[in-house]
Amino acid sequence: MEVEFEVDEKKYRSTYLPHVPFEQNWTQEHTLDKLISKAGYKDGKYEDIKDKFTKATRYQSIKFKMTHQQYLEHKEKLGKPTEENKEEGE
């Protein structure tokens, strides 16, 4: 989720990946309070400034898990430059 709001002509913006509030077991209001704080606004909570929001965006993501070894193997499959490729690029 991403939010933007403006208070006293100062713009604030912050975001959390969609899985964060779910994993932390946050309510919707608690998530918005955390986003407000993360944006750098320290003078209130969602209820205090809800009319100041200029944008609220929800989005989706997919979370993958892999070991470091799996990551290295995947990176290799993607085409790590070889000595032959390096010579062709010169």
Side-chain angles (χ1 to χ4, degrees):
M1 176 172 217
E2 179 181 2
V3 297
E4 292 180 13
F5 56 99
E6 187 173 330
V7 179
D8 298 329
E9 298 184 22
K10 183 174 180 184
K11 293 183 181 185
Y12 297 86
R13 180 178 175 193
S14 66
T15 189
Y16 277 120
L17 293 172
H19 64 273
V20 171
F22 176 77
E23 288 178 353
Q24 299 299 317
N25 201 28
W26 293 342
T27 65
Q28 182 178 16
E29 187 170 334
H30 186 73
T31 301
L32 290 167
D33 286 341
K34 297 289 275 183
L35 283 164
I36 290 166
S37 177
K38 186 177 181 186
Y41 185 75
K42 307 297 182 199
D43 296 330
K45 301 278 186 187
Y46 172 68
E47 280 299 317
D48 302 328
I49 63 164
K50 62 183 174 185
D51 60 328
K52 308 290 186 186
F53 275 65
T54 57
K55 181 179 179 183
T57 304
R58 282 180 42 192
Y59 51 92
Q60 295 179 330
S61 67
I62 298 173
K63 185 176 176 181
F64 292 96
K65 291 184 180 184
M66 64 174 60
T67 65
H68 183 67
Q69 184 60 39
Q70 289 170 323
Y71 165 75
L72 294 174
E73 291 168 3
H74 179 70
K75 187 176 173 183
E76 184 74 26
K77 286 180 189 176
L78 291 177
K80 182 179 102 179
T82 63
E83 289 304 314
E84 183 177 296
N85 292 342
K86 287 180 186 178
E87 290 174 8
E88 291 174 6
E90 292 179 358

